[in-house]
Amino acid sequence: MRPFAYERAVSAEDALNRHTDDAQYLGGGTNLVDLMRLGVATPARLVDVARLPYDRIEHRADGGLVIGAAVRNSDLAADLGVRDDHPLLAQAVLAGASGQIRNQATVGGNLLQRTRCPYFQDVTKPCNKREPGTGCPAVHGDNENMAILDPSPHCVATHPSDMAVALTALDARVRVRHSGGEDVVPLARLYRSPGDDPSRDTTLRPGDLITAVEVPGRLDMPARYRKVRERASFAFALVSAAVALDVADGTVRDCRIALGGVAHRPWRAHRAEDALRGRPATEASYRAAAEAELAAAEPLSGNAYKVTLAVNVITAALAGLGEDA
Amino acid sequence: MRIEGRAKVTGEAKYAYEYPAEDVAYAFAVTSDVARGEVLSVRAPELPGLITVLSCMDPPDIAPVSDAELHLFQSRTVSYRGQIIAAVVAETLETAREAGRLLEIEYAPHEMDVELDADHPGLYRPEKVNGGFATELGSGEPADAFAGSPVRVDVTYATPAEYNNPMEPHATLAEWTAPDRLVVHDSNQGSVVVRDTLAQIFGLDPEHVTVVSPHVGGGFGSKGTPRPVPVLAALAARAAGRPVKLAVTRQQMFATVGYRTPTVQRVRLGADPDGRLRAVLHEAVAQTSRIREFAEQAAVATRHMYRTPNLYTGHQVVRLDVPSPSWMRAPGETPGMYVLESAMDELAYAAGLDPIELRVRNEPETDPDTGLPFSSRNLVACLNEGADRFGWAHRDPRPGVRREGRTLVGTGVAAATYPAMTMPAKARVRANEDGTFTVSIAAADIGTGARTVLTVVAAETLKAEPDAVTVRIGSSDLPRAPLAGGSMGTASWGHAVARACEALLAKLGDGLPQEAEADTADELKNRPQYARHAFGAHFAETAVDLDTGEIRVRRLLGVYAAGRILNPQTARSQFLGGMTMGAGMALMERGVLDLEFGDYLNHDLAQYHVPVCADIPDIDAAWIEEADPHLNAMGAKGIGEIGIVGVAAAIGNAVHHATGVRFRELPLTPPAVLPALAAHGLTA
């Protein structure tokens, strides 16, 4: 193995000070350590931030949450306030990984986990995300589980997090500490499209440290997370959907729709939401809204099924909520 | 309970890589990045702690054996991506891996050919298929009889590359205790075959080689034939002049230790209107590598299943620039019976018959292959027992009519079979002065419960308490025994142990200690001729999500007729394990071939999916009491493999029953299923 330094930060300031260009922050390590074993990640220094005092979940009166970045995924999903006020979030977290991994993984690490694209994870093959300029074999190779929305000729990888999909639907923001102070960044601005620089998953600058996730007050509408995969647990999504639906007098007053497994980032389906608000709460409306979103899909040779799948999953998930409403 | 259960769950049981050795060094295998080509140069890095490098640039002196995969570093030709072409030995495992990464290998790559195709111009008929079976067999006029049959099914199915992936990787600790003496701790399915192979390769007297393997963390066939790992460990230890440990990584297991070949199989069934078969034709195509001919015997089970006056079974393989396929749980039967039993379901629909009734009507009186009587055959009893337990009687045969919201539900059945072999073995048993007994045999417990079952066999024969019997297995220094494979381990070892115990009983009147040995070779050679096979039936209920194409197995039942079941607990585990592996085959397992790079892309367990507990909510195994006097001392048939045979067909048949759509390519994942449901107007 390649030697690396391991340091444990005692505060955010300390973490920022210890971070150097060749360093990486270490959360639970469930993804980064794997990538180091594979030679995909080669940090010279690991700054462990999992023990910083960001292991609490703050509950606000309106149901809003401030989730510390070091909170373990299992603790987040088991938190009674989270389960009561944001069942969508708890469902999404529990849909990811396995019990053992959720016990270890942190919220900050979950947000910043890397794609599981098979080419990205294999250092004997080219990959623009891993080694910019080497090419993207997935465009013409095995792309069954690659992106269909907003792809780039340079990268068709998908973002793997379930939690981030739910947080995207919930309009969550992250608190980012950096040498100049602290920013609050909506998830929509944290993640980025691959464009011509797929090596960057997020807009974070080197050394930026996520300390917390802010979730606005509770959604006053039923919501659910639906994840599709060929085995019943412990698999990344082919497609997932976080949906919420507010129906009054048979009409959709409000809705939230976010998708996983379809793009380089958790995908907020604004077009579908816009198309659905004010429409009758019928399966036909849900489908039309889903189709409006997926009209922009650019499937590859092996993943056209995802277009149908995404439309069906949005439709079925909304229809399930419509029945409950 | 398993005798070594406590040792295993407390971590006290040692596996090959865990044995300590003084001054041990660590080897790491380096594999090729091209699928076909020549190695031009290998340059070692300057790295403190690096002891030596092995590669084809300096071929070590070893003798060839029939499997060229073991003739390491003798040729500069690269035969597949992921082939072991060099190795590094270092002071620590970390240094070894780093040295492996830094090793500079220059190739002259050649154009590769990696894709199996039923029309591949390189297809040929091997001299024999695995197991020594005839490549082609025919009786009557199958093609004409098929053409003239009133009811016909002519279907082609495809199965993908599948991986065994036992939890413990292939691993060896090799120590040269003298220039002509080799001791290895190794993870394998048979210490004797590893010993004999190493002795041949290194030109040693077999008596001077000891292979120790008391605990093995699974094999599923992949450790049945020695793979390159023990050979490389011994080479590295010789080169380093120190004990050396070597384990392949999970990723390397996808190329270096075998897998189930993908297959393309055409089955033609011709029948009378009442379902009685007139013709059965089963043609199987599979791949093998450039350096090892491995001919999966996919159509062989069809020779034993149903009565028909006209039968053809044949095999072809093609050599591709791919890793060498090898044994994987029920090799031959698993892919072959998937196709035959799917085709039988198709015939049931074509003939308008219940699929169980169709099988009952085609039950043969004697073995269709040899004409010999069966030593016992209770397929029909298994089907009937399973039908009772599963609630088959009120099944509506119409496909696509059981809807629960957005889900379609269906049930399916398939038959299972596996040969019941008993091979020659030796065993020794000693009556100790303290009234205890010690049984010795070079058997292997790869997680099956062999040690526990052999204790039961010895105790029963000796009329002693199991606590008074100690069974020593897992070393090539013990009396010679066959490997744990082909579902013949327990039958073969147990037979020898029982015979040795019987011989000891005759001596017990003469005072203690006493010792007796048995060698079952002559007895088995002179056995009367019978067709000896286990049979079974699998039942599945599946739910198909019309929006997503997700298929979940709701219920899985296996009923078996496998002679006498020696230990219900370990037998049940074997059956359930096989069935679970069958569910994986049906729903998720697939090596994804990358056409640009020529390797199987999804080479770890995060990407190559096997079932998790949530996939198997309701699974059960049962068996028919079967008294068969023509087998062995216990009346037992092997059970390690039959549990997987036909499971994928039962699930596929259930999916057809649920949806009315017939899928003929595995696995049945949403990317494959959803478009077909949409094409049949079943979604939206």
Side-chain angles (χ1 to χ4, degrees), chain A residues 41 178 193 236 245 293:
Chain A
H178 49 81
S193 298
F236 291 95
L245 189 65
E293 188 68 42

Side-chain angles (χ1 to χ4, degrees), chain B residues 358-380:
Chain B
L358 174 69
R359 289 172 173 87
V360 172
R361 285 189 189 181
N362 288 292
E363 179 71 359
E365 286 86 40
T366 56
D367 179 24
D369 180 14
T370 57
L372 290 170
F374 285 99
S375 66
S376 56
R377 176 177 169 120
N378 284 297
L379 171 58
V380 171

